[in-house]
Amino acid sequence: MTAYRLSSGGLVDRSKVLSFTFDGRPLRGFAGDTLASALLANDQLLVGRSFKYHRPRGIVSAGPSEPNALVTLGSGARSDPNTKATVAELYAGLTAKSQNRWPSLGFDVGAVNGLLSPFLGAGFYYKTFMWPKQLWEKLYEPVIRRAAGLGRAVLERDPESYEKSWAFCDLLIVGGGPAGLMAALIAGRAGLRVILADEDFRLGGSLLSETETVDGSPASAFAERVVAELQSLDNVTLLSRTTVFGWYDDNVFGAVERVQKHVADPSAKLPTERVWRIAAKRALLATGAEERPLVFGGNDRPGVMMAGAVSTYAERYGVSAGKSVAIFTSGSSGYRTARGLSAKGVTISAIVDSRADASDAAPDGVRVIRSGAVVDTKGRQRLSGIVVERSGFEELIGCDALGMSGGWSPVIHLACQRGARPVWSEELKAFSAPNVGNGLRIVGSANGVYTLSGCLRDGVEKATAIATELGFNAAAAPVPVTETETETEGEPSFAALWYVPGARSKAFVDFQNDVHARDLGLALREGFGHVEHAKRYTTSGMATDQGKLSNINAVGILAGMRGVSPAEVGTTTFRPFYTPVSFGALAGTSRDGHATPTRKSPLHEWARKNGATFVDSGLWFRSAWFPRAGEKTWRESVDREVLNVRANVGLCDVSTLGKIEVFGADAAEFLNRLYCNPMLKLPVGKARYGLMLREDGFVFDDGTVSRFAEDHFFVTTTTAMAGAVMSHMDYCAQVLWPDLKVRFCSVSDQWAQMAIAGPKARDVLQQLIDEDISEAVFPFLAARSMVLRGGINARLFRISFSGELAFELAVPAGYGEAVAEQIMEAGRAHDICAYGVEALNVLRLEKGLLTHAEFDGRVTPDDAGLGRMFSAQKHDFIGKHLSARYGLTAADRMQLVGLKPVDKDKDMRAGAHLLKEGMKPSTLNDQGWVSSAGYSPVLGQHIALAFLKSGRERYGEKIVVWDKLRDHEVVAEVCDPVFVDPENKKLKA
Amino acid sequence: MASLITCPHCGVRPKEEFAIRGDASLVRPAPSASDEAWHDYVYVRANPRGRTVEHWHHVAGCRRFLVVERDTVTHEVYSVVDGAAAAREAQR
Amino acid sequence: MRYSAFSIVRNALSGNLNWKPQWRQPQPKSHYDVIIVGGGGHGLATAYYLAKEFGVKNVAVLEKGYLGSGNVGRNTTIVRSNYMLPGNEPFYEFSMKLWEGLEQDLNYNVMLSQRGVIMLYHSDGQRDAYVRRGNAMWMEGVSAELIEREQLKKMIPFLNYDHARYPILGGLLQRRAGTARHDAVAWGYARGADQHGVDIIEHCEVTGIRRENGVVTGVETSKGFIGCGKLALAAAGNSSRVGEMADLKLPLESHVLQAFVTEGLKPCIDHVIVYGGGHFYISQSDKGGLVFGAEIDGYSSYAQRGNLATAEHVMEEGVSMIPGLSRVRVLRAWGGVMDMSMDGSPIIDRTSIDNLYLNCGWCYGGFKATPASGYCFAHLIARNDTHPVARALRLDRFARGYAVDEAGAGPQPNLH
């Protein structure tokens, strides 16, 4: 028994006992505990195993910098691996498991790696595992991989929910310690919209473990008073349990609030975590300072902790890290810990001070060893003593905990995330924040102000300045008074001590990744002395703590070895995230069905009632086919629909096409420049097929253009490209030709549009329309507004994507379903059927009509057999000039052809490539590819569209349709891509 | 810039409302211009390190193309103006 | 110093005190036959192959930062040769074959892990496009497999089969593809080049290109003027800037691409998985971190940092594909500056200026190309002749109308 709960004291609520388990062992803590403080209170010193050597490890810190005490919280789908026990708020029912050990934490087979450590130094794997070659893949890599990682991700569906939110404020304060709280108070009283975010579940920061009094009360009570006042201010938002993880452009901060991570049984009404994007006019970084570990032999033994953490456990949680605590310090902070513990009756076995001439006051009766160094530690899985060296003499001092303090570094992570590098301060012996402008200022310990009164003052002053800057009146506020400390006396002084010489065993720099001082030496010897190289070669600072404790010592050691100042070594790059953030929080509600929006056609319900099977098509759900009773496969349904359209009539929902109204005196000119074929002289009341190119001459999209009036057009696009075409038109109208008098807007959602196709289409449709729509009056490509019987305004187009006599009818979206039903009713006597996009696809395939399966962004109009649409006479249109390039007109380009299998029973599938008969497959011999393929029920065989080199010259040639990927090979005859009714007799019937 | 854009029509809006098209300094050549002029217009980019102008399309807002003058290193935004106005200015 | 079992043991027993620097830190000479600008993967590989394969040993690599400080050290480490277009596939397969012998060639373990890259498809149309691609691979003799849904479920059980917005129907698998340890690639090539006599000069920024009578004669640098017979640019995201020093205008935009790594986890993802419902891709490093990324931020940028909106979008795609990622925590995000070309494919070519050679336009596919890029660039520099597998990747392809547009997206860099 070493660590234990003190009989009194701390901010835990001793009346609220919380039961939890660690590795299955039932334990108890109090409300207000972290998992770490509760584990310590239960004398659970050993909490984890390190990454490489599986060394036994204990709690080192009391905050987010923790490298060792990583556990898996929860179980099953609610497992949270690699959770820092030092920030995990204790709750009743919490279950924690240790990691990276087998079979148990106490006895871990992986620890054998420690014996091999001479062979496992930094970068060992780059030099080895290469002989023989085959063994890397089969043996070495699997072994290395199995050793990877710490915690285990279950990869099960997360039952909890997440959300994201924007917030806007005048002042964001990151950190609710003395400086942050005072700043919030001043700014809040002045009327600024303030957000104060702190990662802890309790606001107060260092005030919560402070022995000093403020304005006559204990520091924690002072904090409580300030928080109470802040809570009363409507313009102040307090976000506890909220980590600001990133600073982005325009002073936008990312933060994650752990709304329900501390709850055993989370409410379904609340998210587990919430990501905030906070747009702040001003921000204050009040993130405090981090105490530095000392790098000495055996410094990783459970029981060796940061001195400040020892204080925090004692003062805030009422837990002593040991019965007999030694201190190893290079500055005054270690004495402060000793005084605090001593006041609580904890035995201080010794203070080992690396300095020769320190004048700090040790508690009465405590032995101080000046110019001393801890060179080794004793004990197995917990500390039993330290070996202290002084003037060449060694001494074993018994203790069961050691608090180490190597001085302080401001926590400046956020300030350095946008490219500015930290600045070495000789005065602070630390890297301090660069000047990053008025948007983000640094305050308190993060600003190198290490006294409590100084932090309070800095908070007051910076907040006052910001309030004034933003035009608020900040009333002069007195700085709270601290009891004993004056601003200069309380200043912790320390000597920079990057490495303690004379280590008798491994002296760890990065605990989690097991990087010890010698690894850095090896890195330097091998030419990896640059701080980024050293990091990458040794993995120092690359663990889950991102080197919060270790980086500064690594820099110092490199500087020492290279004989330069730490300023010259510099730091590695600070990047988001300050502490790790879950995928779930960052994804928010965008998951599963909500990953992207879902669009449903206005005819969706009609299709559903008619039994449609739906298929995703971009954001849309489209009806794919309409199975009928007795049909066993989709092909049966599709074949029936196709044959029925060819023989009778069918109705297909084409509402998903992009639809754009174009108006204006220059509308015709605008469209004429937009499409490669002429549009100027399109008569009113007519529709025309149009082909749009990109400026590089390749087909961008196709669709129809209808003219309702001289200055009014209606444009359709493909479903897939609706958004892109609209944006392209915006660009052309606004940027290229801003002087054209043209206005347009998307009406894709305003119209329900349906194709009525088949020899009986007119007979069906005429029943809904009084006007004559006969061939003579409303011929192929007629387009105009109509009024349906019953008074519904509609637009009717004589266009066809099936080669049949066909109409497209557009009605206001809200009437779509009713009109579709009407048409079905009217068509009953004519054997009308609903048909889906699969049948639509077969119908167009039989006619050699094209979709984006053909227009893949690399196809010219001529490739597609549409060269006649390219109007060389037009003065200018998008894509004209570059279409003349050699590569776009070369004779060996791949051209659209049809394919029919020589053996009529064979099938072909899209994606196959084409080879000349008898030629070996090779990239050079590749003749082309199949863009679309399917079974034609009309022809009773499979047909395909393909792009074939110089294809139009090769009709009649036999070619191998080569689908090696699916082990499928067919000989096909090259033919014209129009398989059915090449004279278009049916179309114009 | 990477977080917020002040649209001259809609005010301060988040980045994800915009689609970025690219270099706004390009001027589409006359139809009769040389092959080289067309090649440079479509394919060559100054790609400055520092101050640049870029077309941002406010697709989820006013649907205007904006000319955003900004720095490619610091991401500071110097100005945002309507693209049509800028284009007219350039053509004058 | 050659690495062998013997050298490992001998050094371990002597406290690892006798290892030597993996490459020298030479002072620049006044003149080199070839100067390569850019000490990233491509520049170092070029130097290595120039010296080893083409006998050009009087070579310097100039790097303005530390060696490997560019994209070779900030990518998602994927190597693959699953391209569709005839201009690309032979080149990337050539690269893949070099990867497969790289460790023995370099005597340096770059930890190539041929764990398979699978690209998921979510619709019939996407499947057809992947089939087209898979068959294009087979045309080049590269094995590819179409994995259908039921088989995929057994192979990768944790994908979002039941609730995805876009159903996961299957995938195109290249088993030989995988990952490699990115930093080790830079270091291994550096060490190899150094052993063949190449001078690698770090912290040496090129500030100007000197020309006499239209011919390049050397470079001004932060360490003074250095003369050269031939100058080869391999400056990735900074290509436009270096090119500008010789009045070259390039078909490039620099864009930032973010990548991410999670906390270390026990092995759970055995392949490189690419989501077809977006651009998301993920694999697990040998240290246990899940390494992933998706699309570029979209605006031109020289800053090696990204924005939060894009990062969030990446996570959304990740959780959409693998719901179980939800509770995994992301450790770190970083950004690399990509030299996005106008057709999404790279450029390896001479320039209009004598003795000036260009290697750029890698978009976000540069890492996998490192060996072939170096080899083909060295071939071009040494012999003044384009390597057969790089013939489609010439600079004049845009003027001639032979863009290699794998995405079919046209001349807008941020769409590739």
Side-chain angles (χ1 to χ4, degrees):
Chain A
M1 172 83 184
T2 52
Y4 62 100
R5 182 85 66 180
L6 296 163
S7 57
S8 66
L11 304 176
V12 291
D13 183 349
R14 292 176 189 247
S15 69
K16 284 193 190 140
V17 175
L18 306 175
S19 302
F20 69 103
T21 66
F22 179 72
D23 280 346
R25 188 176 142 217
L27 299 169
R28 302 206 296 179
F30 296 130
D33 263 328
T34 61
L35 174 59
S37 67
L39 286 170
L40 274 181
N42 284 279
D43 194 31
Q44 182 68 46
L45 289 193
L46 175 65
V47 291
R49 291 277 176 170
S50 65
F51 177 68
K52 191 151 106 183
Y53 301 134
H54 290 248
R55 291 171 70 98
R57 291 286 166 80
I59 294 158
V60 171
S61 76
S65 56
E66 178 61 33
N68 283 348
L70 304 181
V71 298
T72 297
L73 284 194
S75 59
R78 284 198 159 95
S79 298
D80 288 322
N82 299 335
T83 303
K84 297 177 193 78
T86 49
V87 295
E89 187 174 350
L90 192 69
Y91 56 84
L94 177 148
T95 59
K97 286 192 289 286
S98 59
Q99 304 182 149
N100 202 36
R101 80 291 189 274
W102 183 84
S104 73
L105 184 57
F107 177 75
D108 178 11
V109 168
V112 71
N113 284 359
L115 300 176
L116 298 173
S117 65
F119 302 95
L120 305 183
F124 73 97
Y125 27 79
Y126 303 127
K127 298 176 189 141
T128 183
F129 300 133
M130 290 181 280
W131 325 276
K133 184 176 193 283
Q134 308 82 296
L135 277 193
W136 165 251
E137 200 81 6
K138 292 197 178 70
L139 173 67
Y140 301 135
E141 204 218 352
V143 168
I144 288 179
R145 277 210 77 203
R146 253 200 300 280
L150 292 169
R152 193 172 296 282
V154 294
L155 292 190
E156 286 178 34
R157 172 167 292 272
D158 187 349
E160 288 167 8
S161 66
Y162 302 81
E163 70 178 29
K164 293 195 272 198
S165 195
W166 276 94
F168 298 83
C169 63
D170 297 312
L171 176 61
L172 168 69
I173 299 163
V174 185
L181 280 180
M182 279 317 293
L185 195 61
I186 298 302
R189 283 174 181 167
L192 281 75
R193 283 186 304 164
V194 175
I195 295 175
L196 172 66
D198 191 288
E199 60 196 338
D200 207 327
F201 53 87
R202 182 163 178 157
L203 292 171
S206 64
L207 292 169
L208 305 180
S209 40
E210 180 58 66
T211 51
E212 185 66 70
T213 63
V214 184
D215 278 352
S217 354
S220 59
F222 168 77
E224 218 165 316
R225 268 207 318 274
V226 174
V227 169
E229 182 175 345
L230 290 171
Q231 274 165 343
S232 74
L233 297 173
D234 289 341
N235 54 322
V236 175
T237 306
L238 300 179
L239 293 174
S240 58
R241 301 188 177 94
T242 302
T243 304
V244 179
F245 57 71
W247 180 40
Y248 298 90
D249 292 332
D250 310 307
N251 235 27
V252 171
F253 293 79
V256 61
E257 180 183 4
R258 289 168 293 278
V259 182
Q260 294 197 92
K261 277 288 183 191
H262 59 296
V263 177
D265 191 15
S267 157
K269 290 178 183 164
L270 286 172
T272 291
E273 294 181 278
R274 179 186 291 128
V275 159
W276 290 96
R277 267 195 260 170
I278 304 172
K281 285 185 188 156
R282 295 286 187 279
L284 275 175
L285 199 59
T287 41
E290 189 77 67
E291 196 171 16
R292 297 176 196 162
L294 289 167
V295 181
F296 57 90
N299 64 345
D300 68 327
R301 203 169 305 282
V304 179
M305 296 169 71
M306 303 310 307
V310 173
S311 293
T312 297
Y313 288 116
E315 306 293 341
R316 177 171 170 184
Y317 301 103
V319 175
S320 177
K323 286 231 150 51
S324 169
V325 180
I327 301 290
F328 182 23
T329 186
S330 69
S332 58
S333 294
Y335 291 83
R336 196 180 160 102
T337 298
R339 289 194 297 270
L341 289 183
S342 193
K344 292 188 177 304
V346 179
T347 303
I348 305 296
S349 51
I351 297 176
V352 182
D353 191 331
S354 67
R355 301 167 301 173
D357 52 355
S359 58
D360 301 271
D364 286 346
V366 170
R367 180 179 169 208
V368 177
I369 305 171
R370 298 193 205 282
S371 300
V374 178
V375 294
D376 205 358
T377 58
K378 297 291 174 192
R380 286 179 65 83
Q381 295 183 348
R382 56 172 62 208
L383 187 70
S384 63
I386 54 176
V387 179
V388 177
E389 192 261 6
R390 187 188 177 207
S391 314
F393 294 95
E394 275 185 17
E395 177 185 357
L396 178 66
I397 296 174
C399 60
D400 50 22
L402 173 70
M404 57 179 164
S405 177
W408 295 85
S409 306
V411 176
I412 55 172
H413 198 296
L414 287 173
C416 302
Q417 282 186 0
R418 287 175 60 199
R421 313 289 301 191
V423 182
W424 174 255
S425 161
E426 207 42 65
E427 183 193 353
L428 294 174
K429 295 186 272 302
F431 286 97
S432 61
N435 180 355
V436 289
N438 279 348
L440 178 63
R441 290 184 176 89
I442 325 296
V443 65
S445 306
N447 190 34
V449 178
Y450 290 149
T451 62
L452 176 55
S453 51
C455 286
L456 296 166
R457 174 179 300 282
D458 204 18
V460 170
E461 288 174 355
K462 294 244 162 71
T464 308
I466 287 169
T468 309
E469 246 170 63
L470 296 178
F472 291 85
N473 276 325
V479 177
V481 181
T482 55
E483 182 192 21
T484 54
E485 183 191 54
T486 68
E487 283 196 27
T488 47
E489 271 178 20
E491 187 89 34
S493 61
F494 60 88
L497 179 60
W498 311 117
Y499 175 70
V500 180
R504 297 280 180 279
S505 54
K506 283 196 180 67
F508 285 91
V509 179
D510 183 315
F511 291 112
Q512 193 181 133
N513 272 352
D514 280 336
V515 179
H516 52 105
R518 285 182 164 206
D519 287 323
L520 291 167
L522 175 62
L524 187 64
R525 269 196 294 289
E526 295 200 83
F528 295 96
H530 189 282
V531 66
E532 290 281 0
H533 281 153
K535 165 189 156 181
R536 288 153 183 261
Y537 195 63
T538 65
T539 74
S540 180
M542 290 172 76
T544 63
D545 55 331
Q546 294 271 289
K548 286 186 173 59
L549 294 181
S550 62
N551 282 348
I552 183 66
N553 285 332
V555 168
I557 290 169
L558 285 171
M561 291 190 303
R562 282 166 53 185
V564 299
S565 151
E568 195 166 319
V569 173
T571 64
T572 54
T573 313
F574 290 92
R575 294 186 178 280
F577 302 93
Y578 170 64
T579 51
V581 184
S582 72
F583 259 93
L586 288 162
T589 54
S590 287
R591 56 183 69 209
D592 294 345
H594 300 289
T596 57
T598 298
R599 298 181 77 180
K600 287 179 180 167
S601 149
L603 296 177
H604 189 86
E605 272 308 295
W606 164 80
R608 197 185 56 76
K609 282 181 202 157
N610 281 272
T613 298
F614 290 97
V615 66
D616 283 292
S617 175
L619 298 180
W620 292 96
F621 278 143
R622 297 188 73 178
S623 35
W625 63 86
F626 294 81
R628 286 189 181 169
E631 289 173 348
K632 291 186 190 66
T633 65
W634 67 271
R635 260 283 305 283
E636 280 182 58
S637 307
V638 172
D639 288 354
R640 170 186 48 77
E641 290 171 16
V642 169
L643 290 171
N644 197 65
V645 170
R646 296 257 182 248
N648 300 306
V649 59
L651 170 60
C652 183
D653 178 10
V654 293
S655 304
T656 59
L657 296 178
K659 305 185 230 25
I660 303 167
E661 301 272 348
V662 186
F663 295 94
D666 292 327
E669 174 64 24
F670 177 66
L671 295 175
N672 202 48
R673 296 183 193 180
L674 217 50
Y675 289 89
C676 75
N677 52 321
M679 290 294 169
L680 267 185
K681 292 176 183 155
L682 177 63
V684 172
K686 284 288 184 188
R688 182 172 288 170
Y689 179 61
L691 201 57
M692 249 184 228
L693 309 185
R694 295 190 309 238
E695 199 70 279
D696 64 355
F698 294 100
V699 174
F700 177 47
D701 198 38
D702 66 340
T704 59
V705 178
S706 304
R707 194 168 199 170
F708 291 137
E710 277 303 315
D711 60 353
H712 179 197
F713 291 80
F714 179 73
V715 165
T716 66
T717 75
T718 60
T719 301
M721 298 297 274
V725 167
M726 184 70 190
S727 291
H728 176 61
M729 288 172 66
D730 282 336
Y731 182 78
C732 292
Q734 295 172 35
V735 177
L736 297 186
W737 309 307
D739 293 326
L740 286 186
K741 293 182 178 61
V742 62
R743 292 288 183 272
F744 46 87
C745 72
S746 167
V747 291
S748 298
D749 292 329
Q750 275 65 33
W751 295 96
Q753 194 152 322
M754 49 207 106
I756 301 99
K760 297 173 183 170
R762 186 184 293 119
D763 301 337
V764 173
L765 209 50
Q766 188 71 72
Q767 295 176 56
L768 278 75
I769 301 173
D770 286 327
E771 279 188 63
D772 183 1
I773 55 168
S774 67
E775 175 69 18
V777 180
F778 201 78
F780 181 58
L781 294 178
R784 61 186 151 89
S785 296
M786 300 237 166
V787 180
L788 301 187
R789 281 180 190 160
I792 296 171
N793 288 313
R795 287 171 173 178
L796 192 64
F797 310 85
R798 229 347 252 291
I799 51 181
S800 175
F801 199 51
S802 57
E804 294 300 320
L805 164 66
F807 298 82
E808 285 192 14
L809 177 69
V811 297
Y815 293 109
E817 199 181 327
V819 171
E821 278 168 11
Q822 280 269 309
I823 294 171
M824 293 300 281
E825 190 56 39
R828 193 189 299 267
H830 301 280
D831 288 325
I832 195 168
C833 75
Y835 68 102
V837 287
E838 287 295 340
L840 183 85
N841 199 34
V842 174
L843 289 161
R844 69 96 192 173
L845 179 59
E846 289 177 334
K847 285 293 292 180
L849 298 168
L850 307 183
T851 70
H852 280 289
E854 282 72 38
F855 297 133
D856 69 351
R858 292 171 288 258
V859 166
T860 68
D862 187 68
D863 296 345
L866 301 170
R868 67 187 185 287
M869 293 184 71
F870 186 93
S871 171
Q873 283 76 43
K874 283 204 291 184
H875 177 61
D876 184 19
F877 57 86
I878 298 282
K880 183 184 179 192
H881 196 101
L882 290 186
S883 288
R885 287 178 294 166
Y886 179 78
L888 277 74
T889 53
D892 66 344
R893 283 193 67 84
M894 292 193 278
Q895 296 169 332
L896 183 78
V897 296
L899 296 177
K900 288 179 181 176
V902 171
D903 178 347
K904 282 187 82 167
D905 296 333
K906 291 280 172 62
D907 69 335
M908 300 174 291
R909 282 176 275 182
H913 282 235
L914 305 176
L915 272 175
K916 279 185 184 166
E917 277 191 292
M919 294 297 277
K920 283 211 174 78
S922 77
T923 299
L924 207 60
N925 288 339
D926 197 343
Q927 292 289 294
W929 59 285
V930 176
S931 56
S932 300
Y935 178 76
S936 164
V938 173
L939 301 178
Q941 66 171 119
H942 276 81
I943 54 173
L945 295 177
F947 286 90
L948 173 67
K949 282 188 177 167
S950 313
R952 282 195 293 272
E953 299 165 7
R954 296 169 69 175
Y955 293 171
E957 183 181 323
K958 305 276 189 297
I959 196 124
V960 176
V961 180
W962 191 78
D963 190 354
K964 169 77 178 167
L965 189 69
R966 291 180 286 205
D967 275 322
H968 191 266
E969 216 175 291
V970 182
V971 179
E973 185 188 318
V974 180
C975 62
D976 188 276
V978 183
F979 297 91
V980 169
D981 186 23
E983 298 84 25
N984 281 332
K985 283 183 190 149
K986 301 185 81 177
L987 184 68
K988 296 173 182 171
Chain B
M1 178 272 310
S3 308
L4 300 169
I5 284 283
T6 304
C7 171
H9 308 293
C10 311
V12 178
R13 308 301 305 165
K15 182 236 175 214
E16 52 269 46
E17 289 187 0
F18 297 84
I20 301 136
R21 182 171 168 118
D23 193 342
S25 69
L26 301 163
V27 178
R28 190 169 182 268
S32 57
S34 66
D35 289 353
E36 194 188 351
W38 274 97
H39 168 265
D40 287 0
Y41 167 67
V42 173
Y43 290 111
V44 173
R45 297 290 179 267
N47 195 22
R49 182 184 170 91
R51 199 174 275 248
T52 190
V53 284
E54 201 164 53
H55 275 129
W56 288 52
H57 188 203
H58 200 181
V59 277
C62 58
R63 292 204 64 92
R64 296 298 291 179
F65 270 86
L66 309 177
V67 175
V68 178
E69 186 182 17
R70 44 173 285 260
D71 191 295
T72 57
V73 180
T74 64
H75 292 177
E76 185 180 350
V77 175
Y78 302 111
S79 68
V80 185
V81 297
D82 185 81
R88 281 197 196 93
E89 190 73 26
Q91 286 169 13
R92 198 161 290 147
Chain C
M1 187 184 292
R2 190 169 170 78
Y3 299 147
S4 64
F6 176 70
S7 73
I8 302 274
V9 171
R10 193 190 56 203
N11 275 288
L13 297 179
S14 58
N16 286 315
L17 293 172
N18 296 317
W19 293 107
K20 295 284 179 293
Q22 297 193 357
W23 60 89
R24 296 165 295 128
Q25 304 277 337
Q27 285 306 307
K29 293 190 276 190
S30 62
H31 188 273
Y32 291 92
D33 292 342
V34 177
I35 286 180
I36 297 162
V37 181
H42 291 223
L44 293 166
T46 304
Y48 173 74
Y49 291 118
L50 265 178
K52 175 164 180 283
E53 301 293 334
F54 299 96
V56 184
K57 294 181 189 287
N58 185 21
V59 175
V61 177
L62 308 185
E63 167 54 49
K64 74 170 176 178
Y66 62 93
L67 184 148
S69 52
N71 296 337
V72 71
R74 52 185 78 244
N75 58 72
T76 45
T77 79
I78 298 167
V79 298
R80 58 184 173 90
S81 60
N82 55 357
Y83 281 73
M84 183 174 79
L85 296 181
N88 274 331
E89 180 58 13
F91 175 82
Y92 286 101
E93 175 55 15
F94 180 63
S95 204
M96 197 66 226
K97 291 209 172 80
L98 288 173
W99 278 115
E100 288 173 327
L102 196 58
E103 282 150 7
Q104 277 63 35
D105 191 29
L106 293 178
N107 178 233
Y108 205 86
N109 192 348
V110 301
M111 306 177 88
L112 175 71
S113 170
Q114 293 178 286
R115 57 183 67 181
V117 170
I118 186 154
M119 308 173 71
L120 305 181
Y121 60 82
H122 309 262
S123 69
D124 291 354
Q126 206 170 21
R127 179 202 57 212
D128 293 348
Y130 281 170
V131 170
R132 179 184 173 192
R133 184 195 290 228
N135 281 317
M137 292 164 66
W138 276 111
M139 277 283 181
E140 185 60 22
V142 180
S143 60
E145 293 166 54
L146 195 69
I147 306 292
E148 309 231 0
R149 184 178 156 96
E150 290 313 309
Q151 192 186 347
L152 189 64
K153 276 184 166 178
K154 292 193 188 88
M155 210 170 108
I156 310 177
F158 49 78
L159 298 178
N160 196 1
Y161 293 103
D162 299 325
H163 301 278
R165 171 69 179 81
Y166 297 113
I168 293 170
L169 303 180
L172 180 68
L173 172 67
Q174 185 187 16
R175 286 195 197 270
R176 281 166 62 234
T179 58
R181 170 85 179 96
H182 57 3
D183 288 326
V185 174
W187 303 337
Y189 273 120
R191 175 169 164 270
D194 179 89
Q195 285 174 350
H196 284 95
V198 171
D199 280 357
I200 297 164
I201 302 161
E202 296 176 74
H203 310 290
C204 178
E205 183 171 4
V206 172
T207 54
I209 295 175
R210 193 181 287 181
R211 279 174 287 168
E212 283 164 30
N213 304 320
V215 178
V216 168
T217 57
V219 288
E220 314 287 348
T221 78
S222 53
K223 298 192 176 186
F225 175 78
I226 311 174
C228 65
K230 293 178 176 179
L231 182 63
L233 309 183
N238 286 305
S239 294
S240 296
R241 301 283 58 75
V242 182
E244 193 178 41
M245 295 173 194
D247 299 319
L248 286 184
K249 286 191 172 171
L250 300 176
L252 298 176
E253 271 182 20
S254 295
H255 282 262
V256 65
L257 174 69
Q258 298 189 62
F260 307 84
V261 65
T262 69
E263 297 180 332
L265 298 165
K266 290 291 170 198
C268 56
I269 294 183
D270 295 330
H271 304 82
V272 180
I273 311 172
V274 184
Y275 182 51
H279 288 91
F280 184 83
Y281 42 87
I282 190 166
S283 66
Q284 186 166 23
S285 81
D286 282 345
K287 278 191 74 225
L290 304 180
V291 181
F292 62 99
E295 44 272 282
I296 52 176
D297 282 15
Y299 42 80
S300 61
S301 173
Y302 284 87
Q304 288 176 325
R305 60 196 169 82
N307 73 66
L308 181 56
T310 304
E312 289 176 24
H313 183 69
V314 174
M315 309 303 157
E316 289 168 7
E317 290 189 0
V319 172
S320 295
M321 181 172 90
I322 306 176
L325 286 178
S326 181
R327 299 177 88 93
V328 172
R329 281 184 293 247
V330 187
L331 179 62
R332 190 170 167 90
W334 62 95
V337 179
M338 310 290 120
D339 36 342
M340 300 296 294
S341 69
M342 302 307 282
D343 61 356
S345 295
I347 296 157
I348 300 175
D349 206 354
R350 282 171 291 238
T351 67
S352 53
I353 297 160
D354 281 352
N355 297 341
L356 183 61
Y357 298 81
L358 183 65
N359 175 316
C360 63
W362 295 98
C363 301
Y364 32 80
F367 180 67
K368 69 180 86 72
T370 306
S373 167
Y375 197 99
C376 294
F377 201 32
H379 183 281
L380 176 72
I381 296 163
R383 301 195 178 160
N384 246 351
D385 181 30
T386 301
H387 190 280
V389 299
R391 277 194 190 131
L393 307 178
R394 288 197 293 239
L395 182 56
D396 66 356
R397 66 179 185 264
F398 302 107
R400 295 175 60 244
Y402 283 99
V404 184
D405 188 350
E406 192 84 21
Q412 188 178 325
N414 65 0
L415 297 181
H416 290 283

